[in-house]
Amino acid sequence: MNNNERLYKISEIADIAKVNKTKVWRYIRDNNISERSMKGNAKLYSEHTKDVIIKAFSSESVHFATETKADTSRILLEQIDILKGELERKNDQLDKMQSLLDQQQRLNLSTNRQNEKLLDTTTNDTPSQDDRPLQNDDTDVLKPTEGNYKGKETKTPKKGLFGWLRR
């Protein structure tokens, strides 16, 4: 070993090559590069080894950068196509939901008009024969049936959902 020769730690080589220490360590391990000496727990490598490692990373990074840019642009274009398709499907769903909402609003308006007509006819007219079966309906909640009568009724009688129409 030359006393004048400078020795480099993995971290110093990584800083010079502008890569991660782990990458340098893996490169050394994969290529079976042996250290020149040890200083404590740190492995020291020669100037020549440092140059070889830096050269490997500089040529690899140029090739890797070009390859990465092409891959990245291809991936981004694929993602854009996927997102466009997804956006079209969402727009179709929104259109369907809008038409269903319009239909529901028309049905509500129609039902409200029918209810108003029924209210107007029942308040102004005397009860007809068609109204009497509603008053004598077997499903009236005021009358107990065989299966649900327990004796004394303590609950308040229910008039049903449309009980206000029967007045």
Side-chain angles (χ1 to χ4, degrees):
M1 178 172 130
N2 242 348
N3 289 339
N4 297 343
E5 185 180 29
R6 175 133 199 274
L7 299 176
Y8 296 90
K9 294 188 233 175
I10 291 178
S11 60
E12 293 171 336
I13 297 171
D15 289 341
I16 294 168
K18 296 180 181 159
V19 294
N20 194 335
K21 289 189 302 186
T22 309
K23 280 188 173 189
V24 174
W25 179 82
R26 286 182 185 151
Y27 181 82
I28 291 170
R29 179 195 64 192
D30 294 343
N31 293 299
N32 295 322
I33 298 173
S34 61
E35 70 275 0
R36 177 73 99 181
S37 68
M38 295 280 290
K39 183 178 182 184
N41 288 335
K43 294 180 180 181
L44 300 174
Y45 297 92
S46 68
E47 183 90 26
H48 175 69
T49 305
K50 174 198 72 135
D51 292 339
V52 169
I53 294 171
I54 291 173
K55 184 177 179 184
F57 280 115
S58 64
S59 65
E60 182 182 304
S61 64
V62 169
H63 175 68
F64 182 71
T66 315
E67 191 176 293
T68 304
K69 286 180 184 178
D71 287 345
T72 303
S73 62
R74 181 183 48 79
I75 291 170
L76 288 175
L77 289 173
E78 289 175 2
Q79 287 178 346
I80 288 171
D81 289 340
I82 290 169
L83 291 175
K84 281 181 181 178
E86 206 171 300
L87 185 61
E88 288 175 13
R89 285 191 301 274
K90 295 297 179 188
N91 284 339
D92 290 342
Q93 287 176 349
L94 283 173
D95 291 341
K96 288 178 185 176
M97 291 297 293
Q98 185 64 40
S99 66
L100 288 172
L101 185 61
D102 290 343
Q103 182 181 8
Q104 181 185 7
Q105 288 176 343
R106 279 188 252 119
L107 284 171
N108 282 344
L109 183 62
S110 168
T111 304
N112 286 342
R113 286 181 183 160
Q114 288 176 351
N115 287 343
E116 287 176 4
K117 284 181 183 176
L118 282 174
L119 282 174
D120 287 344
T121 57
T122 57
T123 55
N124 294 339
D125 295 340
T126 57
S128 65
Q129 289 180 350
D130 294 338
D131 291 339
R132 287 186 191 126
L134 289 176
Q135 294 170 353
N136 296 329
D137 192 4
D138 289 333
T139 60
D140 192 4
V141 293
L142 295 175
K143 294 180 183 177
T145 59
E146 294 175 18
N148 69 358
Y149 187 66
K150 296 180 183 176
K152 188 177 180 184
E153 183 76 24
T154 57
K155 296 182 181 177
T156 57
K158 296 181 181 178
K159 295 184 179 180
L161 183 60
F162 292 102
W164 56 275
L165 284 175
R166 295 184 189 144
R167 292 182 202 165

